[in-house]
Amino acid sequence: MASPITPLVGPVLFLDDVREGLLHLSALFIAARGYELPPIVLAESEVHAMVLAEYDQATIWRARFALPADRTSVYAWDGESYEVAGDLTGDVRLAYVSCNGEEIADMEREGSERNAMWTRLRENYQTSPFALLLHGGDQVYADEITLGHELSHDWPDRRPSDPSPLALADLRHHLREGFLARYAAIYAAPELAWLAARVPSLMQWDDHDICDGWGSLHRRFTDSKVGQTLFSVARESFLVFQQASREDDLPSRFADPSGRHLGWNIGAPSLRILAPDLRSERTRNQIMGSGGWAMMEAEASCETEGHTLLMSSVPLLGPRLSLLETLMVAIPRMQKYEDDLRDQWQSRAHREEWRRMLKLVIQIARRDGHDLTAISGEIHLAARAVMDMGGGLHLNQLVASGIAHRAPPRAWARFLGTLASLGEDPLSGHPIRIKTLPGQSSRYTAERNYLLLERSSGNWSARWDLEASGMTAPLALSQF
């Protein structure tokens, strides 16, 4: 993928909220400095964009407008019309993606190979449109943006002891420009750009949107001046490029207007999409802080009809990873992978938090027999799991990862499947089982993939599109 800033990238649509029968949208544009941006044209008005952020060679613009939430509608920009299939009231299709990149040399990958599954997703949309595009984390892989600056080139292996304010300001500039280049390249890719202009996105972040293992690294790295500068710039970039927002104007779907954590929820007819922030407050010993837990407890006490989709950027249900952690700690050459396991809910370090989250999920489901499905990415495999919640209720966990990240070796998928065969029951009486995808013989499928979620006559089902195996049969989300 080419990295220079193109004269214009966009529109990229984001869903700010659903209120009073309307989709409240933001359209993001990345333009060369000095470019005069045409307005968004609606049926009875025009909407002019405002400047969201400035960079050396680019200006980021954002236009906010509304379209009906009960039918397909159209907006126009720069002489082209864009149809938005925004009906959330009856039968509806949603798409879910994660892991849009790789840790090393992602910017240099050949576009048609990198974006092959984006091409498939676009073709699927053209056959039968979907209303929303959910992004479950690692929308960019920012691991390499620390390269090329003396303060961060070898971070976290080398930590400058006391960098000057001037040096940190220069680092901040270097990192901002690096994030811009990555986001601009990703959004300019034609396979994604076509969809992004027509399907509103909802995004949550994960570690690679900051750096590999953020929050699971030792505090001496993340709390250092270089580490805090990196997090600050990554957070600003996340707000600008993944939310079309900034510190002082978060969309109303965010639970905390101050942005201490970046969890959000969307309410539509018989549908709630709930996305807690598993990174902003994360440390080696906690996944969420007080703000994130307050949001989840408030949501657990809400009366909600229909179905809740819980976006957990790392899988909420999984195998007994504590056994693998013990093995890695005992083998010195494997210890470099400890942070990857500590990222997971199933880590020994987070077991009590995991139990707390699962209890909240059960509370949500038991209020009125409410349907709830967890959807996740992160592991570069396709998978599903089921937890018995008692009273005839079951929690489905659907994992779709990644849309662009190449799959790990099949031997790793088989190893995880063997580990999963041992079972897991963090809550007594609520066993977790890793199940196969429809048509697959192994518990974990090592193919690039994305997920489709469909509501037909009030019933939800899911299908994975697997790069080699193709589209799975529908999985009814009440099935176990």
Side-chain angles (χ1 to χ4, degrees):
M1 290 169 49
S3 58
I5 305 302
T6 57
L8 182 67
V9 176
V12 180
L13 284 189
F14 297 92
L15 179 61
D16 288 342
D17 209 346
V18 181
R19 298 191 314 274
E20 300 174 346
L22 294 173
L23 303 176
H24 293 266
L25 303 169
S26 286
L28 184 79
F29 302 87
I30 305 172
R33 294 195 67 148
Y35 182 87
E36 295 187 13
L37 199 73
I40 297 281
V41 179
L42 305 175
E44 298 179 356
S45 63
E46 292 185 352
V47 178
H48 291 268
M50 59 162 282
V51 173
L52 201 57
E54 295 276 12
Y55 293 81
D56 285 353
Q57 299 179 40
T59 300
I60 316 303
W61 298 83
R62 194 266 322 277
R64 282 179 168 164
F65 60 101
L67 293 175
D70 61 354
R71 59 187 180 273
T72 295
S73 52
V74 176
Y75 75 96
W77 182 79
D78 198 23
E80 184 171 355
S81 294
Y82 300 91
E83 189 172 86
V84 178
D87 187 357
L88 298 176
T89 60
D91 292 353
V92 67
R93 300 179 85 222
L94 313 176
Y96 177 88
V97 302
S98 71
C99 300
N100 186 28
E102 290 186 347
E103 296 87 337
I104 300 172
D106 190 48
M107 301 279 277
E108 282 71 56
R109 292 171 66 187
E110 195 276 320
S112 63
E113 177 279 322
R114 183 196 186 281
N115 298 314
M117 294 306 291
W118 281 111
T119 298
R120 295 252 288 263
L121 186 59
R122 180 180 63 186
E123 291 169 351
N124 193 289
Y125 175 92
Q126 291 168 338
T127 299
S128 182
F130 34 86
L132 298 174
L133 182 54
L134 312 179
H135 304 249
D138 296 340
Q139 277 67 258
V140 296
Y141 277 67
D143 309 279
E144 293 179 322
I145 69 164
T146 54
L147 302 179
H149 194 280
E150 61 179 356
L151 289 185
S152 61
H153 188 83
D154 297 320
W155 185 89
D157 295 329
R158 183 182 67 86
R159 290 172 293 125
S161 58
D162 191 23
S164 69
L166 185 61
L168 287 170
D170 187 66
L171 173 61
R172 178 177 178 82
H173 175 264
H174 172 83
L175 296 173
R176 287 186 85 244
E177 295 294 323
F179 272 107
L180 166 66
R182 288 189 176 267
Y183 279 109
I186 285 170
Y187 288 161
E191 301 86 354
L192 171 56
W194 192 93
L195 281 169
R198 294 164 175 82
V199 188
S201 285
L202 285 165
M203 298 183 175
Q204 67 178 162
W205 65 349
D206 202 23
D207 59 333
H208 291 287
D209 301 291
I210 309 165
C211 74
D212 187 14
W214 178 267
S216 295
L217 299 171
H218 284 280
R219 296 288 291 266
R220 63 180 180 273
F221 303 135
T222 57
D223 288 356
S224 69
K225 291 183 179 180
V226 170
Q228 285 300 297
T229 300
L230 172 60
F231 178 77
S232 174
V233 175
R235 185 179 181 281
E236 177 198 12
S237 302
F238 171 72
L239 291 177
V240 169
F241 296 108
Q242 295 196 39
Q243 311 298 328
S245 185
R246 59 189 181 195
E247 194 75 37
D248 59 353
D249 71 343
L250 293 179
S252 56
R253 62 183 159 87
F254 282 86
D256 182 1
S258 74
R260 288 177 301 168
H261 75 93
L262 297 170
W264 53 262
N265 74 86
I266 285 284
S270 297
L271 173 63
R272 171 175 58 178
I273 305 173
L274 181 56
D277 179 359
L278 307 186
R279 288 294 161 185
S280 289
E281 300 176 294
R282 179 186 282 265
T283 69
R284 282 178 60 80
N285 297 312
Q286 70 174 36
I287 292 177
M288 293 195 300
S290 59
W293 284 114
M295 168 188 161
M296 285 303 302
E297 287 166 357
E299 291 296 327
S301 65
C302 285
E303 295 290 341
T304 303
E305 295 182 353
H307 204 109
T308 291
L309 296 177
L310 173 61
M311 293 175 62
S312 176
S313 53
V314 296
L316 186 59
L317 305 182
R320 192 172 298 180
L321 294 179
S322 57
L323 298 177
L324 190 54
E325 283 185 295
T326 300
L327 178 65
M328 286 187 170
V329 169
I331 303 174
R333 63 187 177 89
M334 298 290 285
Q335 290 174 8
K336 63 181 179 179
Y337 299 108
E338 182 205 358
D339 295 334
D340 293 326
L341 292 179
R342 206 174 185 102
D343 266 358
Q344 307 301 315
W345 283 105
Q346 294 81 37
S347 169
R348 293 175 301 171
H350 306 312
R351 199 160 183 87
E352 287 307 311
E353 269 193 293
W354 188 27
R355 290 190 180 107
R356 182 179 180 182
M357 177 63 83
L358 294 176
K359 289 176 181 177
L360 284 174
V361 167
I362 292 172
Q363 180 181 335
I364 291 172
R366 285 183 171 175
R367 289 188 66 85
D368 55 2
H370 186 80
D371 291 320
L372 189 146
T373 301
I375 50 177
S376 299
E378 216 268 344
I379 62 173
H380 310 150
L381 298 162
R384 76 179 185 98
V386 177
M387 184 179 78
D388 184 343
M389 294 192 291
L393 299 174
H394 293 81
L395 170 66
N396 278 285
Q397 162 77 66
L398 314 178
V399 180
S401 171
I403 186 74
H405 197 293
R406 284 168 285 199
R410 293 183 186 275
W412 174 244
R414 289 194 295 269
F415 173 77
L416 285 180
T418 300
L419 190 65
S421 68
L422 301 175
E424 177 64 292
D425 55 348
L427 296 180
S428 177
H430 302 285
I432 293 171
R433 297 293 180 264
I434 309 300
K435 302 285 190 176
T436 59
L437 270 59
Q440 296 293 306
S441 58
S442 300
R443 290 184 174 90
Y444 291 88
T445 302
E447 300 179 33
R448 290 195 293 185
N449 61 90
Y450 62 81
L451 182 70
L452 294 174
L453 297 153
E454 300 175 270
R455 181 174 65 193
S456 178
S457 300
N459 297 312
W460 283 91
S461 63
R463 293 187 294 164
W464 287 260
D465 190 4
L466 306 169
E467 185 167 20
S469 303
M471 190 71 72
T472 69
L475 173 73
L477 293 182
S478 59
Q479 179 177 322
F480 55 93

